[in-house]
Amino acid sequence: MLLLMKSYYRSCLWSVCLASSYLFCFYLAMFCSAKEYVWEFYYPFVNVLFFSLLIFTISTAPGPSRLYLFLCCLILWVPTIIVASYVQIYKNPLNFNTFYFIWGTNIAESGEFLQECLERFPSLPLWCLAYIFVPLPAVRGMSREVRNLKKIPIKYRWSVWGIFMVISASFLFCSNIRLFNYGFQFYKSYFRYRSERNLIIGISDANRTRIMEEDVEASAPADVKETYIVIIGESASRYHWRVYGYPRETTPFIMDRLSKNEIFCFNNVNATEISTMNSLLCALSFMDQNKGWEYYRYSIIDILNGAGFTTYWFSNNAVMGMCDTLLQVLSRNASSRKFSENRDVDLRSMQGGFITNPNDLQYDSVLLPWLEEALDENITKKAIFLHLKGSHGLYQYRYPASFNYFDTALGIESSDIRSQSNKVEIVNYYDNSIRYTDFIIDYVIKSLESRKERSWVLYFSDHGEDVFDYNEISGRDLEKVNKYMLDVPFIVWFSEEYKRVRETDLYQTYLDRPYRLDDIIYSIMDIAGLKTYLYDPSRSIFSSSYYMRARMCLGKMYLAYPPENLVNPRTVEQESKLMRWLLEGRGDL
């Protein structure tokens, strides 16, 4: 019995040593990098205690204990390295919601993010090695004790294992360890993501086979040709568009059309999320930031299908089989779907082969041949969605060499950015990608102009991007959300044939309306002339019945985001008035 107790005692000590050494590098990274981390002894103490219990329970389990121990370390190492890397790159604690976004991306984007991490933090591989080698002595000691435990009679091992299983489970479910344990949240977010993905798949499959009870109808006669195109941008901040006042010539084609009064540029539209998946799911379905998944019901694809439109979804964001994102699932019911490959040597497009890149990346012009094919089809009513790669990081891979227009600091207003060559380079990459998006939008409009049909082109971006505009980062951070990550361009062009049947001049008076991107499904239904009880005119930016709703982002009021002086002055008075209404019970959250 004494030998038995001594073996378990040594195993307990090695479990604590392994958990402590394992978390040492993690908390060192947090301490060195995260300026706003709440440093309380309770957090690391409870995490070490939990990991020690877990490691000891696994090591005492009957069966291949050393294999169990290896798998345990591997399972814990993955979220730890992700969190520590994030903290060291963004200098900010990780929001647990970020885990959910990880599962919603594809392999190509993950690879690009890893490359961006290595560029921003070159010593990242050394940290990864530290996470492996620092706990190694404790791993070897623990492994030796596991061999000794094998000599203990199996009935005692079963008893001890059962007791510690109960203790570990009680500790996990009866304490608040789940709230701040990164490993638990990492895997919990995966199961949440899979559950919501399966829910959308089920709803989409049901919508594909049933006649819509809402009896959606198109207002135009069946023999009238209609072609409507929605261009979905990526990571395009309104504050880097010349048409919205940016000093650099990032949007020459749109500026030219604006000078001729050919397009409408809405000045005050903001996203409600800073992730593509959540933002577009709310924008293109009846979900919004205040409603859960039970309000998904139909997507805009389903609505258009019900009205007799042939729908197309062309995306420059590759499909990865089981890794399909929720957004790709949303497009399942489109009459025709095409996705670009991750890497394709043949990058020639409708422009006669002007795209060449040694990295064999596909640019957004890969969608243009598909667009032309769809436009040439002899179909009366078409609705085409083009999902761009836009300005998704890495920015330098989003445009061909012929669009390398900005290569100096000329035109950058911030003296801080101009003084740092690495920042200048990144801003130039980003602005070049915006200029390329401008070209894509103009090309799409030209394609419709020549066809003399009742048509329109609507462009908006899923969210913005902070490119050293406020934070010392280029990208997005859930802990440092600001208007650069939220305010997006919103541009629409109408054909002359469309203008003959619908008064569009009135839209000039709507350009400053504060608008939420999660209401865009109602705006699309409005200008597409769809009739259904699901349509709410008060939520369409094009409607004379529009009612401004309180704008919230990630659960916070839009005006609450720091700093206050960055809020668009045009909206402060309007939204302050709305807040008074809310306090009086007369508003809509």
Side-chain angles (χ1 to χ4, degrees):
M1 180 60 69
L2 184 62
L3 180 63
L4 174 67
M5 294 180 63
K6 185 180 295 186
S7 296
Y8 279 122
Y9 172 73
R10 288 198 299 265
S11 297
C12 285
L13 289 180
W14 278 116
S15 297
V16 174
C17 291
L18 179 55
S20 301
S21 60
Y22 182 77
L23 292 173
F24 171 76
C25 291
F26 171 73
Y27 281 107
L28 179 62
M30 296 285 283
F31 180 78
C32 296
S33 304
K35 300 177 181 178
E36 301 173 14
Y37 186 72
V38 180
W39 288 106
E40 295 185 16
F41 176 74
Y42 174 75
Y43 295 143
F45 173 77
V46 173
N47 272 293
V48 169
L49 179 59
F50 172 71
F51 283 134
S52 300
L53 279 171
L54 186 62
I55 292 169
F56 181 79
T57 302
I58 291 174
S59 64
T60 57
S65 303
R66 281 188 289 180
L67 176 62
Y68 296 158
L69 185 63
F70 171 77
L71 293 176
C72 175
C73 291
L74 181 63
I75 290 172
L76 296 177
W77 183 80
V78 172
T80 303
I81 192 67
I82 291 176
V83 173
S85 301
Y86 179 95
V87 168
Q88 291 171 91
I89 291 168
Y90 291 100
K91 308 300 181 184
N92 206 57
L94 180 72
N95 188 302
F96 284 133
N97 289 327
T98 306
F99 285 140
Y100 186 78
F101 302 153
I102 291 173
W103 301 116
T105 189
N106 57 42
I107 296 176
E109 291 180 349
S110 300
E112 291 173 354
F113 178 72
L114 178 60
Q115 182 176 344
E116 187 175 10
C117 290
L118 293 174
E119 290 182 359
R120 293 185 182 185
F121 189 61
S123 60
L124 181 60
L126 296 178
W127 277 96
C128 294
L129 290 175
Y131 292 134
I132 296 174
F133 287 109
V134 170
L136 198 57
V139 171
R140 296 186 64 181
M142 190 69 207
S143 179
R144 185 171 58 252
E145 288 305 318
V146 167
R147 286 197 301 270
N148 293 331
L149 291 175
K150 292 286 186 180
K151 303 174 184 178
I152 298 175
I154 190 67
K155 62 179 181 179
Y156 294 118
R157 293 175 61 200
W158 272 110
S159 300
V160 173
W161 179 77
I163 292 171
F164 275 88
M165 273 293 291
V166 173
I167 294 175
S168 299
S170 301
F171 187 76
L172 177 62
F173 293 103
C174 297
S175 70
N176 60 354
I177 183 69
R178 290 175 293 169
L179 299 179
F180 52 85
N181 181 271
Y182 291 104
F184 179 84
Q185 291 291 339
F186 181 76
Y187 296 106
K188 177 184 176 182
S189 66
Y190 170 76
F191 291 106
R192 172 189 163 194
Y193 173 80
R194 296 297 300 181
S195 174
E196 293 174 352
R197 182 180 182 275
N198 292 336
L199 173 65
I200 290 186
I201 289 176
I203 295 174
S204 298
D205 289 344
N207 290 344
R208 183 187 304 167
T209 57
R210 74 184 179 195
I211 299 175
M212 295 185 60
E213 299 174 359
E214 286 71 21
D215 295 325
V216 181
E217 298 178 1
S219 59
D223 60 342
V224 174
K225 282 195 171 184
E226 297 177 278
T227 302
Y228 303 137
I229 300 178
V230 178
I231 306 176
I232 304 170
E234 171 67 45
S235 303
S237 171
R238 189 169 73 215
Y239 300 98
H240 282 256
W241 287 54
R242 179 71 179 94
V243 73
Y244 288 105
Y246 188 58
R248 301 179 112 184
E249 294 294 335
T250 54
T251 55
F253 292 109
I254 293 178
M255 285 295 294
D256 180 63
R257 290 187 179 276
L258 184 64
S259 66
K260 300 174 183 176
N261 294 319
E262 296 179 356
I263 61 173
F264 298 91
C265 295
F266 289 82
N267 304 313
N268 205 359
V269 177
N270 77 277
T272 56
E273 300 278 353
I274 63 170
S275 73
T276 299
M277 181 179 67
N278 285 1
S279 177
L280 294 184
L281 278 174
C282 289
L284 301 178
S285 76
F286 291 101
M287 287 175 55
D288 63 34
Q289 59 183 338
N290 306 315
K291 297 177 181 177
W293 291 96
E294 65 273 14
Y295 289 93
Y296 174 84
R297 196 170 187 182
Y298 294 114
S299 71
I300 187 61
I301 300 289
D302 299 321
I303 296 295
L304 288 162
N305 287 341
F309 280 78
T310 298
T311 51
Y312 303 81
W313 184 277
F314 301 144
S315 174
N316 193 22
N317 297 270
V319 175
M320 301 299 296
M322 288 300 293
C323 294
D324 289 0
T325 66
L326 290 175
L327 182 60
Q328 290 162 343
V329 172
L330 177 143
S331 66
R332 284 164 64 91
N333 289 350
S335 307
S336 175
R337 292 202 310 165
K338 291 184 180 180
F339 296 86
S340 64
E341 299 292 335
N342 284 323
R343 303 177 71 85
D344 193 336
V345 176
D346 184 10
L347 299 176
R348 293 184 297 275
S349 74
M350 299 297 295
Q351 300 304 303
F354 71 92
I355 295 180
T356 57
N357 189 290
N359 294 301
D360 297 334
L361 293 170
Q362 285 191 315
Y363 307 113
D364 287 330
S365 58
V366 72
L367 306 179
L368 301 183
W370 301 342
L371 171 66
E372 294 289 351
E373 291 174 6
L375 293 176
D376 288 338
E377 290 184 10
N378 188 22
I379 297 174
T380 305
K381 299 185 184 298
K382 307 170 189 172
I384 304 172
F385 292 81
L386 303 176
H387 187 196
L388 308 183
K389 200 75 170 180
S391 300
H392 190 285
L394 303 163
Y395 313 133
Q396 65 268 34
Y397 296 147
R398 304 299 166 233
Y399 57 90
S402 57
F403 279 81
N404 190 28
Y405 185 82
F406 303 104
D407 55 7
T408 67
L410 186 64
I412 297 178
E413 292 183 310
S414 171
S415 58
D416 176 65
I417 295 177
R418 290 198 306 269
S419 63
Q420 301 181 57
S421 60
N422 62 320
K423 289 185 177 181
V424 170
E425 185 178 48
I426 293 174
V427 171
N428 285 339
Y429 291 153
Y430 186 74
D431 289 349
N432 286 331
S433 70
I434 297 294
R435 192 175 173 96
Y436 185 57
T437 296
D438 172 67
F439 159 76
I440 296 292
I441 296 172
D442 186 68
Y443 183 97
V444 174
I445 293 175
K446 286 178 179 176
S447 298
L448 284 184
E449 275 181 321
S450 61
R451 295 178 185 271
K452 308 298 181 183
E453 298 175 356
R454 188 180 300 184
S455 57
W456 49 253
V457 175
L458 171 64
Y459 170 87
F460 67 92
S461 181
D462 54 354
H463 51 73
E465 196 95 337
D466 185 351
V467 189
F468 308 115
D469 297 295
Y470 176 60
N471 296 316
E472 286 296 311
I473 63 169
S474 59
R476 287 156 283 133
D477 187 340
L478 282 167
E479 295 293 338
K480 297 180 179 179
V481 177
N482 57 56
K483 72 170 187 175
Y484 297 103
M485 302 178 191
L486 295 170
D487 292 355
V488 297
F490 190 98
I491 296 166
V492 62
W493 168 88
F494 298 99
S495 69
E496 294 301 321
E497 289 70 25
Y498 186 94
K499 293 178 182 178
R500 293 193 187 101
V501 298
R502 180 150 181 175
E503 180 60 50
T504 61
D505 291 341
L506 190 61
Y507 297 160
Q508 288 290 349
T509 64
Y510 300 163
L511 299 183
D512 291 334
R513 283 178 166 177
Y515 192 64
R516 295 166 29 162
L517 203 60
D518 58 350
D519 281 344
I520 199 172
I521 187 172
Y522 301 97
S523 295
I524 294 175
M525 292 168 64
D526 185 356
I527 56 178
L530 305 184
K531 299 178 180 179
T532 170
Y533 84 88
L534 292 169
Y535 170 63
D536 182 353
S538 70
R539 298 175 71 170
S540 168
I541 199 171
F542 303 105
S543 172
S544 58
S545 303
Y546 172 72
Y547 174 76
M548 186 183 75
R549 302 202 300 152
R551 297 198 293 174
M552 298 181 67
C553 306
L554 301 168
K556 301 177 184 178
M557 289 301 299
Y558 177 70
L559 290 185
Y561 280 106
E564 293 183 1
N565 64 341
L566 285 182
V567 176
N568 191 333
R570 181 170 45 249
T571 70
V572 171
E573 182 179 351
Q574 294 171 305
E575 297 199 30
S576 296
K577 180 179 179 180
L578 178 59
M579 285 307 301
R580 289 197 298 272
W581 290 355
L582 291 172
L583 293 174
E584 297 169 5
R586 295 192 291 134
D588 177 18
L589 279 174

